[in-house]
Structures are given as structure tokens and as C-alpha cells.
Amino acid sequence: MMQQVETIHLYHTNDVHSHFDSWPQISRFLRSKRELHEAENKACFLFDIGDHVDRSHPFTEGTTGKGNVALLNRAGYDAVTIGNNEGITMSKKALTTLYESADFDVVLCNLEETDHSIPRWLAPYQIYETEQGVRVGVIGATAMYTEFYARLGWHIEEPRQALKKIATQIQHKTDVLICLSHMGVHEDRLLAEESTLFDVILGAHTHHLFTESEIVNETLLAATGKFAQYVGHVTICLDESKKVIGKRAEVIHVNEMERAEEDVDEVNELISTGNEAMEERVFYNAEQLKQQLFTESALSSFFGRAMVEYTNADCAMFNAGIFMGSLEEGWVTRRQLHSMLPHPINPCVITLEGRELLEIYNLAQNEDWPKLEIKGLGFRGTIMGKIIFERLYKNKQGELFAGNRQVVQGETYTLATLDMFTFGFFFPVLQQAEKEYYMPELIRDIAGWYGKQKALAKMNMSEHQNEY
């Protein structure tokens, strides 16, 4: 009978989304576990499976994500892969420089430059060797948002095919093969069904939680939900021939981890650091613009005009729930814009036929929508709020107009809206329509741009009047 000669411990997090309230406990827990296992002469690896970064948090926004990397460094991570929040809510320059100070590997096999070369800040895979000589292969992949990555100057490949290709190439160089998957639980299960090469798939993206492992085709699947509520722990046992003879998974809730008095101060310091980094003035606001959830407002008019002028669209549509506060009179800073519009949402211009635009206008009159709770889609608010239209209205005769043009069947019109509406959950027609995403601009960038333009126009007008 073969004797167990090596136990490998994997600790993993996913979809933290810059929820730092419990990060001091998690970091302390991970450091203590590594010290414990190393004292026992047992191998230990720490992995993050993407979406650690979320630009809705002031610390992440203020440090352009590099603060997240510093937190991962301090906790002692060995490798990470990226999620869509790292991949498509950051500019190409920001992502290219994000991991400059990383003490860990970025493992990702399905992202390339547009000329198909491998970006210098990542590796398709890594092979680690334990003190007992066990070779641990790690391959990472992220979800395929083809059009978004293309707009940012990246090429994204289908992840399952890329993973299987690399796994086949390195299978004879490894004793254990681990996948860091930011693809979602459905894709993880398909990968396990299609390939027997992976011993463990650590999952993410769909925020699924496995309190114990799920086994598919002899592959162990593990995941920790979202928002730093759990840390995952996978144990892999090997015999003297370096063959895997046992695997198990568990999750540890943050409430089970040691707390310290300074934890709250540490979290507050992150927020202060981010806010201080965003005190740069953007524009002077001549009058208060109040937020209203269930009706049009001065703030919604300001934002609607910003969307139309920035994109040159015929009309615009958005929901009042995107505003997380008002704009006061006086200087507006990056911090205030971020606080008001924290969402990692891009503007998008959609080309629609008259009948389709009328359908959208009519759908938006649904009386149940304003109080509808929204989760995901990049939205960082709570409820939908009223659907607001800018330059799309009905006259007294009930005829629909986009700007100065009557909306009629057979003609086309352009609608500026939020990218979250293009996924088909509220307006199915928008999913297949011709569209142009604006990237890397987020909607708060559009608001800041418009505020600047208004302030400059007012200043120029004053100077012109003074000449006379």
C-alpha cells in the first residue's frame, strides 16, 4: 500500500470586489496559516481568482487598483488571475501597470495583445515545486467579454479551449494541476466534464459558494462566494509516487477568524487614503443639482445632456437609481463624482430602428420598475429608480420624438445609454442591436467632462461680455 508523503494546502479568495471590511482578518488568517504549514514542513499556496479590484471603492479608485495589489502582497499571495473588473473596467495602461509592484505571479492563459503576443505582466501558467519535489501546475483564465476587451486594445480567447490547450502542453511536467477560473460555475463544470487533466478548479465570477467541494468527473470544484465573506481551503494528499490520493475542500467564514482592535482603523485608513487621492478639482458647479429617485431632476437633466453631447447621440436613456447623491454648488472633485457615480459602467450608443425605439420607450413606462432591486450588471446602487429619457419625448398628439425628429418606422436613431442595459435583462432588443461601447470612460468621467465644458463655456461667455 502506497504511503501518503505530501499534503498540499491551497487557500483561495474570489470576487472580493474591494470589500475591505474583513480584509484585516483575512490577511492575518492567511499569514498565520502559511506560518503554521511551513512550520509543519507542509506546502502552502495562496491564490486569488479575480475581481479583487472594484473601482466603486475609493481606495481602489484613488490608487488605480495598486492599493489592492499592496494588500495582496502583504497577505503573501503566490498567484492571482484577473476578473472582468480588472480586465474591462480599467484602461489598457492601468491594467498593464497594475501589477508592477506585485510580489506574486499573474497567471492568465486567454488574454493577449492584439498582435497575439503575450503581455509582459502575465504568464499563461506557472509550475511551482514543493520541498518534497511535487510539481504544482497553475493555469488561469478569465471570462470572455470579446467586444469589451477589443475596445480596450486586447484580444481575448475562448477560455475553456485555451485552458485545455495549456493543460495538455504541461501535463507531463506536473504532478498536480490547478485551474484559477474566473469563468463562472457553468463553465467550470463544462471544463471538468471535457477534461480530466485538472485536479482542482478554483472558481469565481458567478459569486457561487461551495461550502464543501463539488466533484465533477473526478475534478474538485471550490469557490468562496463574494465580498470577502469566506476563505476557501483545499487539501490535496499525494502518495510516494506523487499521485493524488485524496482531495477535500472547506470554507472558513470571516467571523471565525481572529479580530484585532486596530482592524477598524486599518479599514478606515484605506478609505481616507483613497479619498485624499481624489481631492483634485474637476469643475465648478454653479448651482445645486439634487438627486431624485422617482422623478426627473436637475441632476438627471445635467447627466442626460452630458450623455447626448459626449456621444452625439439623438437621445439618451438611464435610470435615476445610478445617482448615489446630489451635486452641491461649488467646486466638484474627483472624490465627489466617484461618490455620486461609483459604478464601473461605461456609456454605450445603440443604433435602433424607429419601431425598436418606440418599444423601448413603452417598456420603460413599467410602473413596477422604479422600485425594482438590481444586483450585478456593474450597478452599485440599490433600486432602479425612474427610467429617464433625454431628448426622447411624446408631444401632445402622442407622437414620439428623438430630438427634433419624429420617430417613425423604417428610420434609424441613436440612443446613448448605460452598458448594463445592453445585456438584455430589461430591454431584450438592445442585446442584439448594433452598438458602440465607449471605453475606458466610465459614466462619472462623462459627467466630469460635461461639467468642465459648461464651466468653460460660461467663463468664455463672461470674457466675451467684458469685451463690450
Side-chain angles (χ1 to χ4, degrees):
M1 182 177 178
M2 291 282 187
Q3 187 178 10
Q4 177 180 324
V5 295
E6 173 105 66
T7 301
I8 298 174
H9 294 273
L10 313 178
Y11 291 90
H12 58 106
T13 51
N14 62 268
D15 297 289
V16 170
H17 283 278
S18 296
H19 281 247
F20 298 130
D21 286 354
S22 57
W23 190 257
Q25 296 97 279
I26 288 175
S27 183
R28 186 184 305 111
F29 172 81
L30 293 173
R31 294 195 304 270
S32 68
K33 287 300 181 182
R34 185 184 288 281
E35 290 175 6
L36 172 65
H37 296 313
E38 287 180 351
E40 297 171 338
N41 201 31
K42 292 181 179 178
C44 175
F45 296 98
L46 276 56
F47 301 121
D48 184 79
I49 324 299
D51 278 4
H52 191 279
V53 163
D54 193 314
R55 292 181 61 184
S56 64
H57 195 285
F59 180 65
T60 299
E61 181 74 351
T63 64
T64 323
K66 293 185 178 182
N68 293 66
V69 172
L71 295 178
L72 291 165
N73 281 342
R74 186 181 175 197
Y77 278 73
D78 293 288
V80 307
T81 198
I82 73 165
N84 43 289
N85 271 267
E86 289 89 1
I88 61 175
T89 73
M90 304 184 77
S91 69
K92 185 169 188 178
K93 180 181 178 182
L95 180 56
T96 298
T97 58
L98 176 61
Y99 299 104
E100 284 179 331
S101 300
D103 297 331
F104 49 83
D105 297 314
V106 181
V107 183
L108 182 62
C109 75
N110 67 320
L111 186 70
E112 301 173 335
E113 300 283 359
T114 52
D115 63 1
H116 299 290
S117 62
I118 297 174
R120 58 178 174 78
W121 51 272
L122 63 80
Y125 67 91
Q126 288 288 350
I127 299 176
Y128 304 97
E129 188 168 334
T130 72
E131 289 189 9
Q132 303 296 327
V134 174
R135 301 164 301 173
V136 180
V138 180
I139 315 174
T142 195
M144 190 175 66
Y145 288 87
T146 306
E147 189 170 353
F148 288 92
Y149 278 107
R151 290 287 300 177
L152 289 167
W154 299 112
H155 172 73
I156 189 84
E157 290 189 341
E158 199 287 316
R160 294 202 322 276
Q161 300 306 316
L163 285 165
K164 289 185 289 185
K165 177 182 176 181
I166 297 293
T168 301
Q169 291 174 358
I170 70 171
Q171 62 176 316
H172 300 300
K173 302 177 183 178
T174 64
D175 304 301
V176 177
L177 198 52
I178 298 163
C179 175
L180 311 184
S181 164
H182 198 91
M183 302 188 297
V185 64
H186 177 68
E187 293 292 303
D188 292 348
R189 287 169 176 152
L190 284 176
L191 177 64
E193 290 170 1
E194 293 169 355
S195 173
T196 59
L197 296 177
F198 292 97
D199 296 288
V200 176
I201 298 175
L202 303 177
H205 187 47
T206 43
H207 298 181
H208 53 291
L209 171 69
F210 292 142
T211 55
E212 298 177 350
S213 60
E214 177 175 311
I215 304 295
V216 178
N217 200 18
E218 299 186 7
T219 298
L220 181 149
L221 275 58
T224 67
K226 62 179 180 179
F227 301 164
Q229 297 169 341
Y230 294 89
V231 168
H233 176 213
V234 175
T235 306
I236 304 173
C237 300
L238 300 96
D239 63 22
E240 59 189 24
S241 69
K242 301 178 184 177
K243 179 182 177 182
V244 175
I245 58 173
K247 296 175 287 189
R248 63 180 298 271
E250 62 176 344
V251 291
I252 303 93
H253 196 279
V254 292
N255 289 342
E256 300 175 46
M257 299 175 190
E258 177 191 352
R259 295 177 181 268
E261 289 184 7
E262 63 268 21
D263 289 353
V264 174
D265 292 336
E266 185 177 329
V267 172
N268 288 336
E269 180 62 27
L270 298 181
I271 296 171
S272 297
T273 298
N275 283 334
E276 288 171 11
M278 292 191 291
E279 284 303 332
E280 172 191 349
R281 289 176 171 181
V282 180
F283 66 90
Y284 187 84
N285 187 37
E287 59 181 345
Q288 184 189 45
L289 302 175
K290 291 199 68 175
Q291 167 205 29
Q292 296 286 348
L293 268 176
F294 302 115
T295 186
E296 289 86 357
S297 65
L299 182 59
S300 68
S301 295
F302 171 90
F303 183 74
R305 291 194 295 271
M307 288 283 281
V308 168
E309 290 204 17
Y310 192 85
T311 63
N312 291 314
D314 293 319
C315 52
M317 176 185 74
F318 53 93
N319 59 306
I322 61 171
F323 304 115
M324 308 295 286
S326 304
L327 272 186
E328 301 302 320
E329 180 182 352
W331 280 104
V332 175
T333 64
R334 283 182 58 216
R335 176 185 60 79
Q336 291 167 309
L337 284 173
H338 179 268
S339 178
M340 183 182 73
L341 293 168
H343 328 277
I345 290 175
N346 303 98
C348 179
V349 172
I350 305 174
T351 301
L352 296 163
E353 193 268 337
R355 177 183 48 80
E356 295 172 325
L357 189 56
L358 178 61
E359 177 186 333
I360 288 165
Y361 183 88
N362 289 334
L363 275 175
Q365 310 310 312
N366 189 320
E367 295 181 357
D368 296 328
W369 279 10
K371 295 184 179 180
L372 185 69
E373 291 190 10
I374 310 177
K375 295 181 180 179
L377 306 178
F379 184 68
R380 298 295 182 256
T382 305
I383 62 173
M384 173 84 86
K386 179 179 174 62
I387 297 292
I388 306 287
F389 289 103
E390 180 72 22
R391 290 175 57 86
L392 187 69
Y393 59 94
K394 284 189 174 181
N395 64 11
K396 292 180 180 179
Q397 290 73 41
E399 299 164 326
L400 187 66
F401 279 76
N404 297 322
R405 297 171 58 204
Q406 184 176 352
V407 176
V408 295
Q409 187 171 337
E411 300 236 350
T412 58
Y413 307 84
T414 50
L415 173 72
T417 190
L418 315 178
D419 66 13
M420 74 175 195
F421 287 136
T422 69
F423 303 135
F425 293 98
F426 302 103
F427 303 98
V429 68
L430 296 185
Q431 190 170 19
Q432 301 301 325
E434 178 188 340
K435 57 184 74 75
E436 178 187 0
Y437 293 101
Y438 282 70
M439 303 179 75
E441 305 98 314
L442 300 181
I443 54 176
R444 58 177 167 269
D445 300 321
I446 309 306
W449 171 86
Y450 183 67
K452 279 184 182 178
Q453 301 308 305
K454 280 192 68 178
L456 285 171
K458 187 172 184 178
M459 184 173 64
N460 291 337
M461 184 180 295
S462 297
E463 291 176 353
H464 181 70
Q465 290 172 343
N466 289 337
E467 291 177 1
Y468 295 92

